[in-house]
Amino acid sequence: MEMERFRVRIVDLRVVMVVVADGDPDLLVAFTAILDVLASECEERLRTLHEWWSPRAPPASPGRSAESLTDDELRGSFRFGRDAIAELLGLLGFPTVLRSASGRRFGGKEAFLLLLLRLGGRERGLELAQVFGQSPPAISEMYNVALDHVFLHVAPAMRLEIWEEHLPAFARVLRERGCPEGHCFGFIDGTMLTICRPTTGQEAMYNGWKRQHKVKYQCVVLPNFLIGDWFGPAAGRAHDLQVLADSNLVARLQGMRGRLDVELCVYGDPAYPVHDVLLRAPKGKMTNAMEAYATLMSHYRESVEWVFGKMGELWPFVTDARRKTPGSCATSKEDCVAALLTNYHTCRYGGVANRYFDTLPPSMSEYCAMYHLHLDNQNMQ
């Protein structure tokens, strides 16, 4: 915009010089020649900028090749090694070519690497444009089309029903590790992620306790350190009871308990109500025995915080409030995709809770097969 205004001023100045230097031909020729050169340079700069910012501009370079990076460098930048990236491309069903809404075509692998790099780092659009050899608008399109593709896996992959047959085994693992609740198979908690102040509906997103604008998610963590159930986003001012009711988790747990014909429950903090399938830490005045029980259970419930901590460490993009503006970017999709990628990372590389509970997560292919099988069974019903 500034360059265009500068070009217009040069043209106006040339017209003025023609009038002012009308009596001095030599001066007129000298000044008009200089102004013509400046105008030509401005037009060239404008053409370059237009090609750079145009979403349909051809790439300035062939893009970034992961083949030139070592496995450690790949894990540092993209959080997954070479073999894991290749496997994820197949499991997530990335095609060779992705097409955006504007019709632009992107390589599937390049788009997935962009998604991993942006979620796992703090690079801005211009920096990513230089890395991948695309214009900034094209980078935005490529990122969004990759984000939308992975988001399709979020709902089926983080649903507690896919683990239904394994819930009694999870309860047995916790019991063998000394958990006083013999039927507890997992732990429930919520997390809040900070966002920029929304342009509309900001009151619903404002959390009076934290005094910030937030989005809230509910999570059930299993002993294998995977997110077994993920619900959200919910408004930042919503109470945990409201989020629990909206997720319909209690009714779903009761249904699974009835189908398995065994006692099952999850354990949460004192903010949750007491149900036959949901236990909470005692609150109010407690006896010594109740305090000892709450202290012991808190050691197990910390696994939820470990998952949230790992998610923020792997994907710092989701914890950077400056880059999360509701209405102008898909903040909720990014949070959910980051949670799913955290699960896949745990399947591939394990986590601290796996050592704590002495459990192993499934492989990435086994995890993918589980939720696809459950999805197929649902479609057949």
Side-chain angles (χ1 to χ4, degrees), residues 207-242:
N207 184 274
W209 176 41
K210 295 292 187 179
R211 299 184 181 275
Q212 291 177 316
H213 293 89
K214 300 276 189 178
V215 288
K216 184 175 286 189
Y217 296 92
Q218 177 183 279
C219 172
V220 175
V221 175
L222 303 173
N224 59 8
F225 202 39
L226 291 182
I227 298 173
D229 199 78
W230 177 268
F231 178 79
R237 68 183 302 174
H239 192 274
D240 287 346
L241 294 179
Q242 182 62 49

Side-chain angles (χ1 to χ4, degrees), residues 333-378:
K333 281 186 179 180
E334 290 158 344
D335 297 337
C336 296
V337 167
L340 174 61
L341 292 174
T342 301
N343 265 6
Y344 269 114
H345 191 277
T346 300
C347 289
R348 182 70 178 190
Y349 303 107
V352 61
N354 299 125
R355 296 185 293 272
Y356 186 78
F357 292 124
D358 194 22
T359 58
L360 289 176
S363 67
M364 293 198 302
S365 59
E366 291 171 342
Y367 175 52
C368 183
M370 286 176 62
Y371 68 77
H372 275 99
L373 178 61
H374 178 72
L375 188 60
D376 292 340
N377 292 336
Q378 279 189 320

Side-chain angles (χ1 to χ4, degrees), residues 284-293:
K285 188 175 182 180
M286 294 186 290
T287 63
N288 292 337
M290 294 171 64
E291 288 183 358
Y293 168 83

Side-chain angles (χ1 to χ4, degrees), residues 172-195:
R172 184 171 61 253
V173 167
L174 293 177
R175 189 165 57 248
E176 291 173 353
R177 295 292 296 175
C179 180
E181 290 296 342
H183 306 301
C184 177
F185 67 84
F187 305 94
I188 182 173
D189 201 359
T191 187
M192 293 185 290
L193 298 176
T194 307
I195 59 174

